[in-house]
Amino acid sequence: MKSDSAFVSIRYYFHLSRGAIRVDIFPANRSSFFPFILGLFSLLTSAGCNSQPSTVTATGKVVMDSKPVSNAEVLFESLEQRGYPAIGMTDSNGTFNLNLVDGPSGVVPGKYHVSISTFKRGDPKEGIPDTPEMIPVEYNERSNLEVTVTTEKKNNFDFDIQEQKSKSQTKRRK
């Protein structure tokens, strides 16, 4: 004999950008169909609310011993609890434009920790070697650089790297 209280509960978690929505489905109990429809409706209506944060333009230049640094990754990691990281690559002139890692161009105003790196992991299977780090560790692995991005002024960040600091960098990434 089948009891009404014996039913299977299946939970689905839908992860959105900053949270999760739980939908409970009770397939063995028809009266639980309403929570399923309500959960599905909530999921579909909240999916459109996943708006991107408001950003501002942020640019800059990286030079080392007065020469532009090309193909360097400039990473802005937010120091705020719900911040958004931004990244930019330098061109042949050493200039970069920041973009959110998973979103639109620009950067969200706030405080950031900055690191600059030219290291790129190669692919040994394809015969592509690692690109060596040319930037001193004081600007990447041990960087203490901090900047503030605002809405009130132009956000232009120039980094003048002194190569003599790189003489203390004897260990390379492996």
Side-chain angles (χ1 to χ4, degrees):
M1 192 168 191
K2 194 173 184 182
S3 170
D4 285 341
S5 64
F7 58 86
V8 178
S9 176
I10 301 173
R11 287 194 170 149
Y12 291 99
Y13 287 89
F14 298 95
H15 295 280
L16 300 176
S17 64
R18 295 281 178 212
I21 296 175
R22 186 184 82 199
V23 177
D24 291 328
I25 302 172
F26 304 98
N29 187 342
R30 280 202 248 177
S31 65
S32 298
F33 188 68
F34 180 74
F36 170 71
I37 295 298
L38 184 61
L40 185 60
F41 177 77
S42 297
L43 173 69
L44 294 175
T45 56
S46 66
C49 297
N50 189 11
S51 62
Q52 294 292 333
S54 178
T55 61
V56 295
T57 302
T59 60
K61 186 171 187 169
V62 178
V63 296
M64 186 161 55
D65 291 334
S66 303
K67 297 176 187 165
V69 178
S70 62
N71 297 317
E73 178 182 272
V74 181
L75 178 64
F76 278 40
E77 295 177 274
S78 180
L79 294 173
E80 299 176 14
Q81 187 175 12
R82 290 196 156 244
Y84 295 87
I87 193 167
M89 291 294 293
T90 60
D91 61 16
S92 60
N93 297 320
T95 59
F96 63 89
N97 294 309
L98 289 174
N99 298 306
L100 291 182
V101 172
D102 292 326
S105 65
V107 62
V108 177
K111 292 184 179 185
Y112 289 87
H113 171 260
V114 180
S115 60
I116 304 167
S117 176
T118 58
F119 177 80
K120 306 280 186 297
R121 175 82 51 207
D123 187 352
K125 293 178 183 176
E126 298 290 325
I128 301 171
D130 291 350
T131 302
E133 181 64 77
M134 303 304 289
I135 307 294
V137 295
E138 291 85 359
Y139 296 95
N140 49 57
E141 293 175 10
R142 289 188 270 164
S143 174
N144 290 323
L145 296 173
E146 290 185 5
V147 299
T148 301
V149 177
T150 67
T151 57
E152 293 130 18
K153 64 176 185 152
K154 187 175 180 184
N155 294 295
N156 188 48
F157 303 99
D158 294 338
F159 301 101
D160 187 7
I161 298 169
Q162 302 304 313
E163 192 171 11
Q164 52 266 48
K165 286 189 176 184
S166 67
K167 291 180 182 174
S168 67
Q169 179 186 11
T170 57
K171 195 165 97 175
R172 300 277 186 217
R173 293 187 197 180
K174 292 188 177 188

